Amino acid sequence: MRRLSLVAGIAALGLALAGCGGDDSDNSAGDTGGNSGSGTEASGDVEVFTWWTEGGEKAGLDGLVKVFGEKYPNLKFVNGAVAGGAGSNAKAVLASRLQTQDPPDTFQGHAGGELSDYIKAGQLEDLSDLYQSEGWSDVFPKTLIDAITYEGKIYSVPSNVHRANVVWANPSVLEKAGIDPAAEPPASIADWITQLDKVKASGVETPLSIATDWTQVQLLETVLISDLKADAYKGLWTGDTKWDSAEVTTALNDYAKLMSYTNSNRSSLDWPDAANMVRDGKAAYNVMGDWVAANWQGEKLEEGTDYIYFPVPGSQGTFDFLSDSFTLPVGAKNPEGAKDWLRVVGSAEGQKAFNTVKGSIPARTDASAADYPTYQQSAIKDFSTDTIVPSLAHGAAASISWLNDITSAVGKFGTSKFDSGAVSELQSGLTQAASNNLQS
Ligand code: GAL
């Protein structure tokens, strides 16, 4: 059985909202400690907006709802979820609700660039007081708090940490192709391509499965991490690494090659469909976040026998990070009720109920790894030792508009022949997206 590799290194998130960063004096915990469950006497409906409607995603939400119901019986959870992986439909619905001053009581937003857009648009309330009263500045990693802090104020409550650079593979399909699933995974994209060729030669039509545009963006980000390595990848988001450079061309050529092994019905699939192609033996590999682990744990699949996982080849020792966090929008109808929801999200009990079934690891540092399935245990270990980089597809690395621009270029490439002309068009599109969105 393969495990994600444990490569030593000092974890450093290295991301903070533009023009801000954590401010210790503002973030320091009060002396009241955590007081979840003793917040307010709020009552009424609390509309919670997410994109978690099925499988492990729904199970995670249900876990939070259960704790919320036990702690706050006067409040009624109202499910505002809009289906579609990575918020592919939800984010547009949310944007229009925020625009028309009809916000839910709380919504899910990714720590980092995505959250900074909502903050800068004046759409979120400052939650620093809640951090004081709950003692949260002591239990969330400072680097994560930095990613949700703007001008010294904290704007969301992180529920988890997910990893995006994971390959999920079917051991039986690999064996049939003459690849030993128990051996060390491929060390680079080039080695992985050799394996993909073997899988293809064994008669598998789709060696690597993929779904709609955002999953292609996620594959691309992991190839950039593998080929450029952590520092140069982080430089893409600051302007230090140029999108029109030769090293990016090399990565895009690798990305094009990988896309040539994928299913042509990609644009009509969402992430569970592509992951299930691996589960069902129709594909050998899929690159997806560790929400896949939640679905397969829920389906009682066996790690090692039914599936294996490893970091995207070439990205060993790097943890491509994202965090779902919950907010209090300006104009929420039940702000006190929403704060009680946030108290549950930030509590040890809420984080355990959520993350044990969501494939993610707790954002709180005081959780016990022994409470978690083996996949999460390995991720907890990796998060503490790996180099941490921000995910593009899941709102950590870039603003919403930058991600949208990249997604258009990548989506267009996804309908091409993946030839050299398409690669140069992709590179021009990505370079243009950076110049449109990079702040000087
Ligand atoms: C991410 C989100 C995860 C998971 C995934 C697939 O954006 O952070 O929690 O839901 O989308 O939908």
Side-chain angles (χ1 to χ4, degrees):
M1 182 186 331
R2 283 179 196 161
R3 291 271 184 275
L4 291 170
S5 74
L6 309 175
V7 177
I10 299 299
L13 270 177
L15 64 136
L17 301 185
C20 59
D23 176 339
D24 278 334
S25 59
D26 279 328
N27 295 353
S28 59
D31 56 5
T32 47
N35 67 350
S36 289
S38 59
T40 63
E41 299 296 318
S43 61
D45 290 351
V46 178
E47 189 196 355
V48 178
F49 186 97
T50 70
W51 53 83
W52 297 329
T53 59
E54 279 180 73
E57 298 185 314
K58 176 158 190 312
L61 182 61
D62 288 348
L64 287 172
V65 172
K66 184 162 181 286
V67 177
F68 183 63
E70 286 160 6
K71 289 212 183 288
Y72 301 104
N74 294 337
L75 289 167
K76 184 166 168 258
F77 166 82
V78 174
N79 194 349
V82 174
S88 41
N89 305 317
K91 283 191 205 168
V93 173
L94 178 65
S96 91
R97 287 188 60 176
L98 294 175
Q99 184 87 40
T100 55
Q101 274 83 49
D102 174 34
D105 292 302
T106 177
F107 67 84
Q108 163 197 1
H110 288 122
E114 180 180 312
L115 197 78
S116 84
D117 283 354
Y118 299 123
I119 300 169
K120 288 177 190 162
Q123 292 164 329
L124 298 184
E125 297 285 359
D126 170 19
L127 298 173
S128 304
D129 286 352
L130 205 55
Y131 272 72
Q132 288 274 341
S133 62
E134 300 297 308
W136 284 336
S137 299
D138 286 343
V139 296
F140 293 121
K142 178 168 185 317
T143 41
L144 183 51
I145 292 183
D146 284 353
I148 54 176
T149 298
Y150 185 71
E151 293 177 346
K153 296 174 181 159
I154 314 177
Y155 285 91
S156 70
V157 182
S159 59
N160 64 354
V161 168
H162 266 304
R163 183 175 196 172
N165 60 326
V166 189
V167 177
W168 306 91
N170 182 312
S172 313
V173 174
L174 296 186
E175 262 168 23
K176 276 190 214 127
I179 298 164
D180 177 4
E184 272 297 300
S188 64
I189 301 278
D191 290 353
W192 193 23
I193 287 170
T194 306
Q195 292 202 344
L196 285 156
D197 280 333
K198 282 191 184 169
V199 173
K200 184 109 203 161
S202 76
V204 176
E205 202 184 314
T206 303
L208 174 64
S209 63
I210 200 139
T212 191
D213 297 2
W214 71 264
T215 71
Q216 297 163 37
V217 172
Q218 185 169 336
L219 176 63
L220 172 63
E221 87 187 43
T222 65
V223 174
L224 289 165
I225 294 165
S226 294
D227 282 356
L228 301 180
K229 304 301 174 201
D231 282 348
Y233 169 79
K234 284 197 263 180
L236 291 168
W237 313 114
T238 59
D240 288 344
T241 304
K242 302 293 172 222
W243 283 90
D244 57 1
S245 61
E247 55 182 341
V248 170
T249 312
T250 303
L252 296 183
N253 281 327
D254 276 345
Y255 173 65
K257 181 72 184 162
L258 292 179
M259 285 297 288
S260 74
Y261 297 101
T262 63
N263 42 302
S264 55
N265 64 345
R266 56 187 84 82
S267 65
S268 60
L269 305 184
D270 203 347
W271 72 267
D273 309 309
N276 290 346
M277 288 177 73
V278 170
R279 180 196 65 187
D280 300 341
K282 298 198 171 88
Y285 305 104
N286 175 239
V287 171
M288 193 30 61
D290 43 17
W291 38 93
V292 170
N295 276 13
W296 291 353
Q297 288 161 0
E299 292 171 20
K300 309 280 179 240
L301 300 195
E302 282 292 326
E303 245 187 73
T305 322
D306 296 322
Y307 66 96
I308 57 171
Y309 50 82
F310 49 88
V312 170
S315 74
Q316 305 88 323
T318 302
F319 193 112
D320 183 17
F321 138 96
L322 60 121
S323 172
D324 296 303
S325 69
F326 281 87
T327 58
L328 175 57
V330 169
K333 291 179 197 71
N334 190 353
E336 293 310 318
K339 281 188 196 164
D340 287 342
W341 172 262
L342 297 176
R343 286 186 173 91
V344 169
V345 168
S347 69
E349 196 181 345
Q351 300 239 322
K352 184 173 161 188
F354 179 70
N355 290 299
T356 46
V357 292
K358 180 70 170 70
S360 41
I361 63 175
R364 288 178 70 113
T365 51
D366 57 355
S368 166
D371 291 338
Y372 285 81
T374 46
Y375 169 76
Q376 281 98 318
Q377 291 188 14
S378 74
I380 288 170
K381 202 157 187 183
D382 287 352
F383 189 64
S384 72
T385 55
D386 281 6
T387 301
I388 312 296
V389 299
S391 167
L392 164 64
H394 306 284
S399 64
I400 295 172
S401 71
W402 195 351
L403 173 57
N404 286 343
D405 288 353
I406 291 176
T407 306
S408 307
V410 168
K412 189 156 182 234
F413 183 76
T415 63
S416 76
K417 293 196 161 44
F418 314 132
D419 54 16
S420 59
V423 169
S424 27
E425 200 182 325
L426 174 61
Q427 188 158 17
S428 308
L430 296 172
T431 305
Q432 187 60 49
S435 82
N436 291 350
N437 291 282
L438 253 178
Q439 287 140 353
S440 49

